[in-house]
Amino acid sequence: MSRTTATVAASLPDHWEELVTTALLGTDRRTPPGVAPGPQAPSALLDAAAAATVRRRAGLRPARPAERLRPAPEDPRPALPPAAARRLASLLADRPGASGGGRRGTAPDLMELLPQWLQAANARGYAAPPQALPALLDAARGRTDLRPAALRFAGPRALWLARLNPDWRFALRAAPGGGPSAPDPRDPQDIRRLWHEGLFAERVTLLTALRSRDAAAARALLEETWATERAEDRLMFLDSLRAGLGPDDEDFLERALTDRSRNVRATAAELLSALPASALAARMAVRAAACVAVDRRRDVPAIVVEAPHECDAAMERDGVVAKAPAGRGERSWWLGQLVEAAPLGTWPVRLGGRTPQEIVALPVGDGWQGELHAAWCRAAVRQRDAEWSRALLGEPSAPEAGGPGAVSLAERARLLAALGPGERAAWVAGFIETHGLSEAFQLLGVCAVPWAPPLGRAVVDALNIARDAGSYPWSFSGVMGLAERCLDPSEASRLDALLAVPDEPEDAAPGAGGYWSEAFQRLVTTLRLRGAMLAELASEEPAP
């Protein structure tokens, strides 16, 4: 230490804030105590700061040792094949904000392929590479639709990391057993402790996880505290009973019909109506059957409807909402709710032993057909009845594009969900062949991935027809995006003929052919990339 430093260190008390203030003001305006203004002042200030720094560090009291961080748990699953690990890194690097991801001309949108990659990796039981976990958690943080598959793939180490970084705490809420106070699933007392003492989110997670393992135990836990829960909490808890709903839940749901919350009563009634053998379903069947009959006096049998004239207290208890929405007639509103909640097995018995197809084909008098068929649609969706869904959908080539019972594309999409994957794909393919792609987007969204060959061919042919029409491809961007994710990669070879810029007809939009060529190039590139990434995942099967 120099003589000046020693002098300053000896004359200065360790006033760190005073030194900081002097540095901010500058030694031209202020000098350290005991130092004369002049050219030596800046050096003296720095010497004083250095001496004070040493004194401050040397004067620290030893801190209590922190608990040593526990190592991350082992992941026993097999490691990814090297090529698949490199592919994962490239998919994660393309996420928005990482490298300007998104559409880039003919380049594939890699982030949109990540959900499919995760699904395939999970199906093969691979473990996530440790170095990929931060990027994987960041991707799941930004996209809630990725979270279930991403957290399953990330495994136990993701939860270990999430406890160290507040940005990833969503993983603790989303993953069963992720909370800091997660109970031992084999310890009933531990489960009851969390149920009675945990936060609301922890209790919902607990109830959902327990319901998947032991429906009766989850219901018993809910009954313990049902009377003291808040109305909004009761509604959320009740909704968890949808998973594994069965006849054993009926008694509890019947008691919930008298709940003081209207929303809870309505949800309980909806769940009971999804149990065709429940007492509520039987009561609704009696009410609905009293409103609908076959008039055999006509030359052609027809359905006649006499809607309810009142909504009594018993109907309200069973979930019928008395007040109709604005612009809706009360009687038609009540009728729709009764028919929707009645078991579909009611109608063949009530309407002369006819099949669902025959019932739907009957004319309905006095303008009630739309209301009656719409209610049957909702009942078929709720009860997941394939035969009634098939009847209400009708033939895909029907002039009105939806059969006699469907009231909207959204309703048709829900009806399709009750059919098997093959039948669903065949119906949508027939719809596209007859009506084109303009109304097919919602229907395509419910088809299994990859699309079955007939559906894939129908989509490609319809896109080709749209291209030849000379319009811009932008109105089909949604279908094109679905095709990139859902078309079977083997279809790429069929698209090679569409990559060239076509000759544009005279009435074509300027430059439309070039835009179509670019769109098809992106589609082909994406399909081949999907084929490659699936082959990479299948190159080394995990050990049994």
Side-chain angles (χ1 to χ4, degrees), residues 194-211:
L194 181 58
W195 178 250
H196 287 273
E197 302 175 7
L199 300 174
F200 175 69
E202 294 175 324
R203 299 176 74 210
V204 171
T205 301
L206 171 64
L207 191 65
T208 303
L210 187 59
R211 179 76 178 174

Side-chain angles (χ1 to χ4, degrees), residues 439-499:
E439 294 185 337
F441 182 77
Q442 286 180 289
L443 306 180
L444 287 168
V446 300
C447 293
V449 178
W451 288 337
L455 178 56
R457 288 192 293 271
V459 171
V460 172
D461 291 344
L463 287 171
N464 192 16
I465 292 171
R467 182 192 69 152
D468 291 344
S471 61
Y472 289 119
W474 302 316
S475 58
F476 299 96
S477 59
V479 173
M480 192 68 80
L482 276 178
E484 291 177 19
R485 299 189 295 275
C486 304
L487 200 61
D488 194 303
S490 64
E491 294 288 331
S493 58
R494 294 187 61 238
L495 292 163
D496 285 339
L498 304 178
L499 299 182

Side-chain angles (χ1 to χ4, degrees), residues 167-297:
D167 289 345
W168 299 331
R169 291 295 172 85
F170 70 88
L172 302 179
R173 298 188 297 270
S181 55
D184 183 343
R186 298 164 297 182
D187 187 349
Q189 291 301 115
D190 204 17
I191 290 174
R192 291 187 75 255
R193 176 193 57 77
L194 181 58
W195 178 250
H196 287 273
E197 302 175 7
L199 300 174
F200 175 69
E202 294 175 324
R203 299 176 74 210
V204 171
T205 301
L206 171 64
L207 191 65
T208 303
L210 187 59
R211 179 76 178 174
S212 66
R213 296 195 307 268
D214 189 340
R219 187 177 60 252
L221 200 65
L222 182 56
E223 288 184 284
E224 282 187 21
T225 59
W226 180 258
T228 60
E229 303 287 358
R230 300 183 305 167
E232 55 268 34
D233 294 352
R234 293 199 304 278
L235 184 62
M236 288 289 292
F237 292 144
L238 193 63
D239 202 57
S240 70
L241 298 185
R242 294 181 189 277
L245 182 68
D248 291 342
D249 298 314
E250 182 179 356
D251 289 344
F252 175 71
L253 292 172
E254 272 285 341
R255 294 195 296 274
L257 290 175
T258 61
D259 195 272
R260 54 189 180 275
S261 166
R262 184 180 68 182
N263 290 334
V264 171
R265 295 196 301 271
T267 301
E270 179 192 346
L271 293 172
L272 283 167
S273 67
L275 297 172
S278 68
L280 178 136
R283 296 193 295 269
M284 288 299 197
V286 171
R287 294 174 180 129
C291 299
V292 181
V294 172
D295 186 353
R296 296 180 177 85
R297 296 171 299 177

